Amino acid sequence: MFAFANFMNTPKETTMNESHDDLIDNPTPRCPVALVLDTSGSMSGQPIEQLNAGIELFIDEVKRDDLARWSVDLAVYTAGGLADCIQSFIGVEQIVGFSPLDASGGTPLGQATRMALDDLEARKKSYRDAGVPYYQPWLVLISDGAPDYGWQDAAQRASALSAQRKLVSLPIGVQGADLSVLSQFSSKPAVALDGLKFRELFQWLSASMARVSASTSSDASVHLPSVDSWGSV
């Protein structure tokens, strides 16, 4: 059992104030990562259990990297019945625990993605206002189906930012996902998760964050690890 004191049931205003102070105390170049997670009813059972374990692993591994722990800012959005921001942007180093996610309801991925994109823009403004350099933001979207109605504008927005190299948009389809729909959230095809290899996925994501954080310039291109251990295009 793991619980996020700064991850679940934390007032957004409080978290944003904490993050603002952190930008002053820690001027390390940042990489904002927004996780948009399908927590609809179809994710019940082993899928949501493996997703929870993967998130915990991701946080632990990023914290173990001397550079990434100070660079990665994380926000988490769920799409299960309602779209919700369960954690606004906070430095991974400040995270003290994690409460497991539950699965229920429909799949409002479009609304959750819109929230994430809006918050990414606001986070970048906070960096600029504080004089803190930042790497290309990441949007990681995980779903085992297809979004409910009203998702097209969010998908077009994410895809356009991806094409302009202003966003790394990574849609990931769990077994049963509509990859053709998820691919519309990026300028690159969605990646199919091999079985329930959430652990391998989040190990890859933490390794990618380590490479990004070690980059000598926030404008430099970063060669990311292969996805072969967990997925296929």
Side-chain angles (χ1 to χ4, degrees), residues 78-93:
T78 54
L82 299 174
D84 190 20
C85 174
I86 64 169
Q87 175 60 58
S88 53
F89 280 105
I90 187 172
V92 166
E93 174 61 23

Side-chain angles (χ1 to χ4, degrees), residues 16 94 110 113 120 135 137 149-150 183 185 197 203 209 212 225 229:
M16 291 179 67
Q94 299 179 59
T113 300
L120 280 169
Y135 301 101
Y149 63 89
S183 292
F185 285 81
K197 289 187 175 180
Q203 284 177 325
M209 292 300 101
V212 169
S229 63

Side-chain angles (χ1 to χ4, degrees), residues 91-121:
V92 166
E93 174 61 23
Q94 299 179 59
I95 295 173
V96 296
F98 173 71
S99 291
L101 304 173
D102 296 321
S104 64
T107 314
L109 279 179
Q111 185 178 355
T113 300
R114 281 191 291 274
M115 294 168 65
L117 293 174
D118 288 346
D119 287 350
L120 280 169
E121 286 300 318

Side-chain angles (χ1 to χ4, degrees), residues 34-100:
L35 298 181
V36 176
L37 308 174
D38 179 348
T39 57
S40 62
S42 59
M43 286 285 287
S44 295
Q46 196 173 10
I48 198 72
E49 292 173 5
Q50 294 296 320
L51 176 60
N52 281 321
I55 296 170
E56 182 185 24
L57 175 69
F58 171 66
I59 293 165
D60 287 345
E61 293 209 348
V62 170
K63 281 188 172 185
R64 280 196 287 266
D65 187 276
D66 290 340
L67 292 175
R69 65 186 301 172
W70 300 110
S71 293
V72 177
D73 286 347
L74 182 67
V76 181
Y77 305 81
T78 54
L82 299 174
D84 190 20
C85 174
I86 64 169
Q87 175 60 58
S88 53
F89 280 105
I90 187 172
V92 166
E93 174 61 23
Q94 299 179 59
I95 295 173
V96 296
F98 173 71
S99 291

